[in-house]
Each structure stands twice: as C-alpha cells, then as structure tokens.
Amino acid sequence: GNSVTQMEGPVTLSEEAFLTINCTYTATGYPSLFWYVQYPGEGLQLLLKATKADDKGSNKGFEATYRKETTSFHLEKGSVQVSDSAVYFCALTPNQAGTALIFGKGTTLSVSS
Amino acid sequence: GAVVSQHPSRVICKSGTSVKIECRSLDFQATTMFWYRQFPKKSLMLMATSNEGSKATYEQGVEKDKFLINHASLTLSTLTVTSAHPEDSSFYICSANTPGQGFSDTQYFGPGTRLTVL
C-alpha cells in the first residue's frame, strides 16, 4: 500500500539554523510528492511539490528532492526564521484521478530568536 | 489561486445534537471533495471522498450513518455529524479538486472547522 513516514517532532531550532525534516514513502507506481505547511490557527497550504524522480521542489527557501532510489523527499532550508514555526506534512498521491492525498503524521517546527 | 471556505470555523454543541459543516469552492467548480479529520498532534485522516451527484465513498472504519456527506452541487459539500458525542470532537478539514486535472496536486484545502462536543 501507500504510506508516508516522517521524522518525529518537535524540532526546535534557533533562528538561522539549518533545517532538515526527513520523509520517506512507500508507494506503488509513480507517485507525486508534496510538502504542506500548517501555521498556527490556519489551514493547510501547499509548500512545494515534485511529480517525478529527481525533480526538486522549492518555495520560500525550502527545498526537497524526489529520490526514487531511497524513496525519500526530505525537506531542507538553509536558514530558518521564527516565522517558519509551523507543522509540516509530507504527502503523496498515487496519481490516480480523484484520489486523496496520503499524509505523514506531521512534524512540528519551533524556531526561537 | 483557488479558494475553499468552510463554515463554521468553530462550533460547540451538546452531546446528542447534530452539526452541519459546509465546504465551498469559491471560484472554481469541484467535482470531487475530500473530508479529513485531524486529531491533536496527529496527521490528517481521510474520512470520505465526495463526488458531485453521487454517494460519498467512505474510508474503512468511518461510520457513514454518523458522518453524512452530501455533495449537491459543484461548489458545495456538507458534512453532518449526527448525534455528536465528545469523542467526535476534532478538527475537520475539507479539500477540493479542480476538474479535469486528474491529479491530487490540484487539491485546495479549507481552513478547517473545530468541533467541540460537550
């Protein structure tokens, strides 16, 4: 079956530190991969995505590369800010019409100044 | 970009009552909408897939008689929690697909509804 595994949180960092949130997946076929972010009190927002192997998604300084050989899609940012504090969800879709996203459990990031 | 709204954003009700949550696509037509439930510090659990004009498809373990879903138009899906109990307290989130895309990366999420059952 399809599943997503994320590193357990919370992740606590100082401002300007380097961030990595690990995400691995299990899927049949060729899924698309996503990172969503949920800021406190808000809904889910798409942060970035990659639709095929070796694609790199990027947005707001965050990056993630679709690694088929390691079935991974780790999220990275070179210098985090306090405003990046949120819950980050890794997700996949098996790329079948009308199918829902499959989410990881989410990783809480807390950045202090 | 596409906007999905939910109403209400928060609701508190007494045990045994029913609560209706609306999910609307504001500037696009959504043939498919999804309802998720988010538990504290846990991921989103897909409850059901709602297709306009047909019955919803429920995930295993979700009681379809308790969580009634209606997708009467291309811009509105409703989730009714019937005879709510404290264990139904949760954050309910809907999302909508744009038609013709085929892939879930065109899913747009609503802001969620916090249900508290006393």
Side-chain angles (χ1 to χ4, degrees):
Chain A
N2 301 308
S3 66
V4 175
T5 303
Q6 283 181 244
M7 62 186 289
E8 294 285 337
V11 174
T12 303
L13 295 173
S14 298
E15 207 165 23
E16 299 183 4
F18 185 86
L19 168 71
T20 299
I21 300 178
N22 290 336
C23 171
T24 56
Y25 67 90
T26 302
T28 54
Y30 303 93
S32 290
L33 302 173
F34 308 86
W35 278 99
Y36 279 83
V37 58
Q38 186 176 32
Y39 297 103
E42 298 184 15
L44 283 169
Q45 300 175 29
L46 178 64
L47 181 60
L48 54 84
K49 67 180 182 183
T51 57
K52 61 183 187 297
D54 299 326
D55 268 3
K56 177 186 284 188
S58 61
N59 186 25
K60 299 181 180 180
F62 291 90
E63 292 183 341
T65 301
Y66 189 145
R67 301 286 188 200
K68 190 172 175 61
E69 63 276 14
T70 54
T71 62
S72 65
F73 193 54
H74 305 321
L75 182 68
E76 296 182 337
K77 186 174 186 182
S79 177
V80 294
Q81 306 300 313
V82 173
S83 58
D84 294 326
S85 298
V87 182
Y88 292 82
F89 292 93
C90 186
L92 70 81
T93 175
N95 279 337
Q96 297 167 5
T99 54
L101 288 161
I102 297 167
F103 287 90
K105 290 190 174 182
T107 302
T108 300
L109 170 65
S110 178
V111 181
S112 58
S113 57
Chain B
V3 177
V4 175
S5 71
Q6 279 184 242
H7 178 80
S9 57
R10 291 178 180 272
V11 57
I12 301 173
C13 69
K14 293 182 179 180
S15 185
T17 60
S18 294
V19 174
K20 179 184 285 188
I21 302 170
E22 293 185 347
C23 176
R24 293 182 184 272
S25 55
L26 297 185
D27 50 2
F28 66 100
Q29 294 183 327
T31 53
T32 303
M33 289 185 171
F34 303 96
W35 286 96
Y36 295 85
R37 182 173 176 176
Q38 186 178 28
F39 296 91
K41 299 184 179 181
K42 289 188 181 292
S43 185
L44 282 75
M45 180 193 79
L46 178 66
M47 298 175 66
T49 301
S50 171
N51 293 299
E52 187 267 337
S54 63
K55 290 184 178 180
T57 303
Y58 290 81
E59 296 299 301
Q60 190 173 8
V62 177
E63 299 176 61
K64 58 183 178 183
D65 293 332
K66 180 168 188 62
F67 298 99
L68 301 178
I69 292 172
N70 183 278
H71 193 157
S73 76
L74 286 171
T75 59
L76 173 64
S77 177
T78 60
L79 167 67
T80 301
V81 183
T82 62
S83 187
H85 288 93
E87 59 264 31
D88 298 324
S89 299
S90 193
F91 194 55
Y92 293 88
I93 303 173
C94 73
S95 68
N97 265 15
T98 53
Q101 299 295 323
F103 298 151
S104 293
D105 61 340
T106 53
Q107 251 184 77
Y108 300 96
F109 285 85
T113 297
R114 172 74 61 192
L115 170 63
T116 302
V117 184
L118 303 177

